[in-house]
Amino acid sequence: MADSTSTSSFDKTQRFVSVNNLVKYFPVRGGLMQRVVAWVQAVDDVSFHVNRGETLGLVGESGCGKTTVGRTMLRLLEPTSGSVIIDDTDLFKLNRREMKTMRRNMQIIFQDPYASLDPRMPIGESIAEGLKIHKIGTPKERFDIVINMLRKVGLEDYHARRYPHEFSGGQRQRIGIARALALQPNFIVCDEPVSALDVSIQSQVLNILADLQDEMGLTYLFIAHNLSVVEHICDRVAVMYLGKVVEMAPRDEMFSNPLHPYTQALMSAIPMPDPTLKRERIILKGDVPSPLNPPSGCRFHPRCPVVMDRCSVDEPVFREAVPSHWVACWRVE
């Protein structure tokens, strides 16, 4: 059964997942022979780490490459280059058999649970599918694991016999969480798990994720674009723009002292809980450039309100501006 060790017993400074110079390009084919004519630079030289037992938030606007990072880390997409090391194991060097064994330790919660569930299969069988693939337990033991997972996410035993269309969106996301946890993984990529849910249901799902992290000692990469959600659940935050990480810091430091102009613009869009207070809004000009042909130098410079001549020529170095606060911006000197 699941390890009941609380994450409070873990050293959250111990590095568990390391992403080093991760690159993922998608080919664009054209012509009669369907040759590669260009490359979509979805993820370009991304590096970060996740400590054991913590939640790292990966944020940015739609199309910045954050979902591609998560899927490439788990080798649901094959990388172009780079490395991902989980608990001292380099995933990109594993063969197919070794990778199958490793998948027990890492799972993903998808943004749209309905699309990831087989509509012709009772959800009990969907949750047990990974257990069957990895030949874990007898049918009776697998059934017991399924029932235990359903209870952990707030569903009832009889739900195991129902089909996906019989559940609400929030219930289906709970099923997705139960399925991800059935193999008792150590690392979970949460790919915008609450973005399609009502606000009242979002808080319930987030609380389930937090409780399960404490109970099972889980490490999360939490992908989102809702900064209020990220502030609620994450320990550290990394901000992506057009395939690159531009800033990374502990949560409180990031929200109180954003250094990159793009992060500052994102923070200015967070609604204030007090209607009598107003935040100075930073409106970015222009559109996000195409990842087919990203700008030279700093990729944010065509929209940056404080751009300098150097920004369009030299790519900024991702460096530690203040302790534990990393940023890639020539203005932050």
Side-chain angles (χ1 to χ4, degrees):
M1 301 307 292
D3 182 4
S4 60
T5 304
S6 169
T7 53
S8 60
S9 64
F10 285 115
D11 178 6
K12 286 197 174 184
T13 64
Q14 180 186 1
R15 187 169 298 193
F16 183 60
V17 180
S18 296
V19 178
N20 304 306
N21 309 111
L22 183 63
V23 175
K24 177 59 182 176
Y25 290 176
F26 293 96
V28 178
R29 301 182 183 275
L32 196 60
M33 303 298 292
Q34 288 295 294
R35 293 190 175 93
V36 176
V37 296
W39 294 91
V40 177
Q41 301 178 30
V43 178
D44 192 8
D45 196 22
V46 165
S47 298
F48 59 84
H49 71 274
V50 190
N51 295 325
R52 185 179 294 274
E54 80 164 352
T55 301
L56 175 69
L58 189 61
V59 304
E61 56 196 323
S62 298
C64 70
K66 53 189 186 296
T67 292
T68 304
V69 167
R71 296 193 178 201
T72 306
M73 286 175 64
L74 302 185
R75 282 184 66 178
L76 298 178
L77 298 170
E78 287 299 321
T80 302
S81 64
S83 68
V84 172
I85 299 171
I86 297 182
D87 204 13
D88 299 325
T89 300
D90 190 339
L91 298 187
F92 297 168
K93 293 183 178 180
L94 301 181
N95 59 36
R96 181 174 294 183
R97 179 175 296 179
E98 293 168 334
M99 193 65 204
K100 179 181 177 180
T101 302
M102 188 65 183
R103 287 197 187 282
R104 288 188 58 179
N105 299 321
M106 54 186 196
Q107 291 292 306
I108 184 170
I109 301 170
F110 293 99
Q111 178 179 0
D112 184 358
Y114 190 62
S116 63
L117 293 171
D118 189 337
R120 299 165 297 179
M121 185 182 292
I123 62 103
E125 293 185 22
S126 291
I127 295 172
E129 196 169 19
L131 299 171
K132 291 180 182 178
I133 291 172
H134 289 277
K135 298 180 172 61
I136 297 173
T138 64
K140 174 64 167 62
E141 290 170 337
R142 290 197 289 265
F143 178 78
D144 290 342
I145 292 173
V146 168
I147 296 302
N148 183 48
M149 289 299 108
L150 287 174
R151 291 173 180 173
K152 282 184 181 294
V153 298
L155 296 176
E156 301 295 335
D157 298 4
Y158 63 84
H159 285 142
R161 298 186 296 273
R162 293 189 173 181
Y163 290 84
H165 72 271
E166 300 181 74
F167 295 93
S168 67
Q171 288 176 319
R172 285 197 288 261
Q173 194 57 281
R174 292 169 189 247
I175 294 166
I177 295 171
R179 184 176 58 176
L181 293 176
L183 291 170
Q184 301 179 30
N186 299 315
F187 175 60
I188 296 182
V189 173
C190 305
D191 185 11
E192 305 203 35
V194 297
S195 63
L197 306 179
D198 294 339
V199 174
S200 60
I201 306 300
Q202 285 185 10
S203 61
Q204 296 176 18
V205 173
L206 290 174
N207 289 335
I208 288 173
L209 289 172
D211 291 342
L212 290 170
Q213 184 177 43
D214 287 338
E215 180 181 345
M216 302 177 69
L218 300 171
T219 302
Y220 291 147
L221 175 67
F222 193 92
I223 299 169
H225 60 260
N226 187 328
L227 291 174
S228 298
V229 168
V230 169
E231 187 176 15
H232 173 73
I233 195 171
C234 296
D235 299 299
R236 290 187 302 125
V237 182
V239 180
M240 282 192 71
Y241 182 81
L242 203 62
K244 287 184 176 291
V245 174
V246 297
E247 188 167 3
M248 184 165 58
R251 174 192 58 200
D252 294 340
E253 168 70 14
M254 180 72 81
F255 281 85
S256 63
N257 183 34
L259 298 179
H260 197 281
Y262 176 63
T263 310
Q264 293 169 357
L266 290 181
M267 298 296 181
S268 74
I270 301 175
M272 296 288 286
D274 186 345
T276 63
L277 299 177
K278 289 191 176 181
R279 199 189 308 266
E280 184 180 352
R281 187 76 167 88
I282 301 174
I283 306 297
L284 298 178
K285 298 179 181 179
D287 297 321
V288 180
S290 170
L292 275 169
N293 186 26
S296 60
C298 174
R299 295 191 172 186
F300 184 61
H301 86 261
R303 306 175 70 197
C304 182
V306 292
V307 64
M308 304 185 298
D309 292 340
R310 184 181 187 183
C311 300
S312 61
V313 179
D314 300 325
E315 183 175 336
V317 178
F318 193 63
R319 64 181 189 84
E320 193 172 22
V322 296
S324 300
H325 194 152
W326 296 73
V327 64
C329 180
W330 292 122
R331 280 282 182 183
V332 185
E333 292 288 350

